[in-house]
């Protein structure tokens, strides 16, 4: 019996959508209508548009949660039969409502039950990058500090950074923010976007945002309307 060939990507180069169509109901019009775009390594991408313009549907296709009716998805310029599996392995997701366990900081980052398995040096590096050191040092228990149910003992900005730390620890190459910073105050939100901008040397980010004042943090701005991309601005 022929063994299935598994292609492993050591480095993310590009994700490309070609002439993608999708609709939820066969009788309705297309929710995503002939969308094409290419996202490259190190891009910091903002997707903007009114409610119902297709932003979240497009993200769900990129995440591999929805399969296009027509069109192609290429990863590193290669069309793959197992593209859904590839997308799942390489893309991290930070939603608006963040899942936090009623447990320690270290467990919420690593999601490891056996803490003998986690990589401490990697965790420390991520904590430094995301400026989480003040949170760790605020308690004698450090990484073993419990954050409470849904992270009630820490601030909204700290929850966002922990969720991002989780994606970085899992070594996802592309990280998606689905309106994840909307509930934060303007100062904290801009601090997080600034961190994303600095991390784009190593990661690729796709962010849904409604605030025009934050667009200066992105090198690619995608405008959507009625399921179509009406403009792509490269900065």
């Amino acid at each position: 019996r022929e063994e299935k060939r598994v292609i492993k990507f050591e480095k993310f180069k590009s994700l490309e959508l070609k002439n993608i169509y999708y609709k939820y109901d066969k009788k309705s019009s297309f929710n995503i209508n002939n969308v094409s775009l290419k996202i490259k390594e190190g891009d910091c991408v903002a997707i903007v548009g009114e409610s119902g313009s297709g932003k979240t549907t497009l993200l769900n296709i990129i995440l591999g949660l929805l399969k296009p009716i027509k069109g192609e998805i290429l990863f590193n310029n290669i069309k793959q039969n197992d593209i859904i599996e590839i997308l799942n392995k390489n893309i991290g997701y930070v939603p608006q409502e963040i899942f936090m366990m009623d447990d320690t900081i270290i467990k919420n980052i690593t999601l490891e039950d056996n803490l003998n398995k986690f990589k401490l040096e990697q965790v420390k590096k991520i904590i430094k990058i995301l400026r989480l050191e003040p949170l760790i040092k605020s308690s004698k228990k450090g990484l073993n500090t419990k954050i409470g149910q849904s992270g009630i003992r820490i601030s909204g900005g700290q929850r966002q950074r922990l969720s991002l730390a989780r994606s970085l620890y899992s070594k996802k190459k592309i990280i998606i923010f689905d309106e994840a910073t909307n509930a934060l105050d303007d100062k904290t939100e801009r601090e997080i976007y600034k961190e994303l901008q600095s991390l784009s040397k190593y990661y690729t980010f796709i962010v849904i945002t409604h605030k025009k004042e934050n667009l200066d943090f992105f090198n690619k701005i995608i405008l959507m309307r009625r399921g179509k991309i009406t403009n792509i601005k490269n900065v």
Side-chain angles (χ1 to χ4, degrees):
R1 193 174 78 179
E2 186 179 348
E3 291 185 8
K4 182 180 177 182
R5 186 167 68 101
V6 177
I7 296 178
K8 295 181 179 179
F9 295 99
E10 297 300 325
K11 188 175 181 182
F12 167 69
K13 296 176 183 177
S14 67
L15 175 67
E16 185 172 7
L17 278 64
K18 285 188 173 183
N19 307 114
I20 296 294
Y21 289 82
Y22 184 83
K23 58 183 176 180
Y24 293 98
D25 187 341
K26 291 181 180 180
K27 295 180 181 179
S28 66
S29 57
F30 283 103
N31 301 92
I32 295 295
N33 192 341
N34 196 23
V35 163
S36 295
L37 67 97
K38 188 169 187 176
I39 297 167
K40 297 179 181 179
E41 176 195 11
D43 274 344
C44 210
V45 182
I47 301 179
V48 296
E50 296 177 355
S51 179
S53 60
K55 304 184 300 297
T56 299
T57 304
L58 179 61
L59 287 192
N60 285 335
I61 290 170
I62 293 172
L63 283 164
L65 299 176
L66 296 176
K67 186 177 181 180
I69 294 171
K70 287 194 291 184
E72 295 180 344
I73 301 176
L74 282 72
F75 195 92
N76 287 358
N77 298 313
I78 301 169
K79 183 181 178 182
Q80 295 292 334
N81 293 326
D82 55 351
I83 189 67
I84 302 300
E85 183 180 349
I86 291 167
L87 294 176
N88 287 337
K89 285 183 178 179
N90 288 280
I91 299 180
Y93 180 65
V94 182
Q96 189 170 1
E97 295 296 328
I98 295 171
F99 167 71
M100 288 284 152
M101 296 183 290
D102 184 4
D103 214 311
T104 61
I105 291 171
I106 188 67
K107 275 202 174 184
N108 272 284
I109 292 174
T110 65
L111 299 180
E112 276 283 2
D113 289 325
N114 185 350
L115 293 184
N116 293 320
K117 290 184 177 180
F118 77 85
K119 300 172 183 176
L120 182 59
E121 289 307 312
Q122 186 180 337
V123 171
K124 286 181 176 179
K125 184 178 179 181
I126 291 168
I127 284 168
K128 187 174 182 180
I129 289 170
L130 295 178
R131 294 193 289 178
L132 280 165
E133 288 170 318
L135 172 63
I136 309 303
K137 292 176 181 178
S138 66
S139 169
K140 292 180 180 179
K141 293 186 177 180
L143 287 169
N144 292 312
T145 302
K146 291 197 172 183
I147 62 172
Q149 188 172 3
S150 302
I152 197 169
R153 295 178 187 167
I154 59 177
S155 70
Q158 289 168 335
R159 285 195 293 272
Q160 292 291 350
R161 287 187 175 93
L162 277 181
S163 185
L164 179 54
R166 186 184 293 167
S167 291
L168 299 188
Y169 182 81
S170 66
K171 294 187 176 180
K172 301 293 186 182
K173 298 174 176 65
I174 308 166
I175 300 174
I176 289 177
F177 278 65
D178 188 0
E179 302 186 270
T181 60
N182 281 10
L184 302 179
D185 62 84
D186 291 344
K187 182 184 176 184
T188 304
E189 186 175 40
R190 288 186 69 81
E191 283 176 357
I192 287 175
Y193 282 140
K194 192 173 182 179
E195 286 160 11
L196 297 191
Q197 194 179 45
S198 65
L199 285 169
S200 63
K201 300 173 188 175
Y202 315 103
Y203 302 92
T204 301
F205 295 99
I206 305 171
V207 179
I208 285 183
T209 179
H210 291 291
K211 298 180 181 178
K212 293 181 180 179
E213 59 268 27
N214 291 328
L215 295 181
D216 54 327
F217 291 106
F218 301 90
N219 73 301
K220 190 187 293 285
I221 301 164
I222 297 171
L223 179 61
M224 293 195 69
R225 188 168 182 232
R226 295 180 180 177
K228 294 183 178 182
I229 291 177
T230 57
N231 188 37
I232 297 179
K233 183 180 180 181
N234 293 294
V235 181

